[in-house]
Amino acid sequence: MRARPSASPTSSHFLLIALLLAGCAASHRFPAGQAILKGETPVFPPAPDSLRTELELTAFADGRKSSVSAAFSARPRLAYKLDLFGLPGMVAGSFLWTPDKWTLVLFDRDQFTEGAGEHVEIGNLGLKEVSVHDVFSFLWGDFFPGDIPAAGGAGASGTPEGLTSAGEGVFTYSAQGVAWRVSLDAKTGFVREASREDSAFRLAFSDYQGVSGGALEKKGRPVPRRVRLYRYREQVLEIRVKSLEDDPHWRRDPFFVKVPKGFRRV
């Protein structure tokens, strides 16, 4: 009796790759976005109570750009902490936001500044017109700038009231007296762009490959790994997401910053 020839290693490899690609293709969808495109009621995945992410930030100003590594910790809409790194292991600056006040400390310059409210100007980026929430809310699944989440969770995402189709995957809505437009990818449902209709602020989302091995995709909450921010059609900031952890175990409270004695207020 002749033994049946076994599948060659090459054909086995092709089969394995095909299965992996099929699995990846199936997971790279945003069901809530696809429901919006179909005119159905979307069900958004819940936002985490907290998160921590490693970022690379690139600022654009006066024809130049500069990049820095950063760590961002958040309790959505309750507290944010952004640490900027200079030399390896050295924190060059820290920004802390809470509903009561915000503080920016530049350790490498012996300077600090403070203020209150959700509209914060950092350097000359020109982002004061937009809420601090809208710069980072994509990390917990909220792609609708200006919209205040419904009751039931500080970071809950949902569909803005009055969301209206303008055709070809574009939708409009008004939030806090400002008109916004969002565009969704027709195949995947991913949000590609969100912009104010007066061009004062625009967010472009891309690279939805998932973070931390695609674990976030399995929860139904996509995370773009590249976000570009524009002000009046000029790019002012790029955010690259390198890793993201939901509900991390904090060894100590990250939402704290102390201004060293002798630092000058600017």
Side-chain angles (χ1 to χ4, degrees), residues 122-134:
I122 299 178
N124 58 351
L125 291 179
L127 295 178
K128 191 172 183 179
E129 293 90 345
V130 69
S131 167
V132 65
H133 307 298
D134 296 333

Side-chain angles (χ1 to χ4, degrees), residues 7-23:
S8 67
T10 302
S11 62
S12 298
H13 290 165
F14 280 136
L15 177 60
L16 177 59
I17 292 172
L19 290 172
L20 289 174
L21 290 176

Side-chain angles (χ1 to χ4, degrees), residues 38-262:
K38 296 176 183 177
E40 302 171 352
T41 301
V43 177
F44 288 89
D49 291 331
S50 63
L51 59 84
R52 185 180 188 280
T53 179
E54 301 288 339
L55 307 171
E56 179 179 287
L57 306 178
T58 301
F60 299 81
D62 302 324
R64 297 178 297 175
K65 67 178 183 178
S66 58
S67 299
V68 64
S69 296
F72 179 70
S73 303
R75 291 193 180 104
R77 295 190 173 268
L78 297 177
Y80 306 132
K81 175 72 175 301
L82 179 67
D83 290 318
L84 306 174
F85 300 106
L87 295 175
M90 300 292 291
V91 178
S94 291
F95 170 75
L96 174 68
W97 181 92
T98 67
D100 297 326
K101 64 179 290 188
W102 58 263
T103 303
L104 172 64
V105 182
L106 300 175
F107 297 104
D108 59 349
R109 299 183 184 179
D110 296 347
Q111 297 176 348
F112 77 98
T113 184
E114 296 176 318
E118 61 184 64
H119 295 272
V120 181
E121 180 62 281
I122 299 178
N124 58 351
L125 291 179
L127 295 178
K128 191 172 183 179
E129 293 90 345
V130 69
S131 167
V132 65
H133 307 298
D134 296 333
V135 177
F136 299 106
S137 63
F138 71 92
L139 290 168
W140 51 86
D142 184 353
F143 296 95
F144 299 98
D147 186 50
I148 299 175
S157 58
T159 309
E161 292 186 7
L163 187 69
T164 304
S165 174
E168 298 183 354
V170 176
F171 295 81
T172 61
Y173 66 96
S174 180
Q176 302 183 58
V178 177
W180 291 88
R181 294 168 62 90
V182 294
S183 62
L184 280 66
D185 184 271
K187 294 182 179 180
T188 64
F190 290 148
V191 179
R192 293 302 183 193
E193 190 173 281
S195 61
R196 279 175 45 155
E197 291 197 342
D198 62 1
S199 300
F201 185 67
R202 177 165 65 94
L203 287 158
F205 308 104
S206 60
D207 296 352
Y208 281 92
Q209 289 97 348
V211 180
S212 299
L216 296 177
E217 306 271 24
K218 297 176 183 178
K219 297 180 181 179
R221 187 177 110 239
V223 177
R225 299 187 69 167
R226 183 186 183 194
V227 180
R228 289 165 290 169
L229 288 74
Y230 296 83
R231 181 177 182 269
Y232 293 114
R233 298 182 176 87
E234 290 188 7
Q235 185 174 357
V236 294
L237 184 67
E238 179 176 285
I239 302 174
R240 286 187 177 271
V241 180
K242 296 191 290 186
S243 68
L244 191 151
E245 180 183 4
D246 281 0
D247 302 317
H249 174 69
W250 307 111
R251 289 182 294 178
R252 59 181 179 177
D253 184 6
F255 304 104
F256 173 83
V257 64
K258 182 178 180 180
V259 179
K261 291 183 179 180

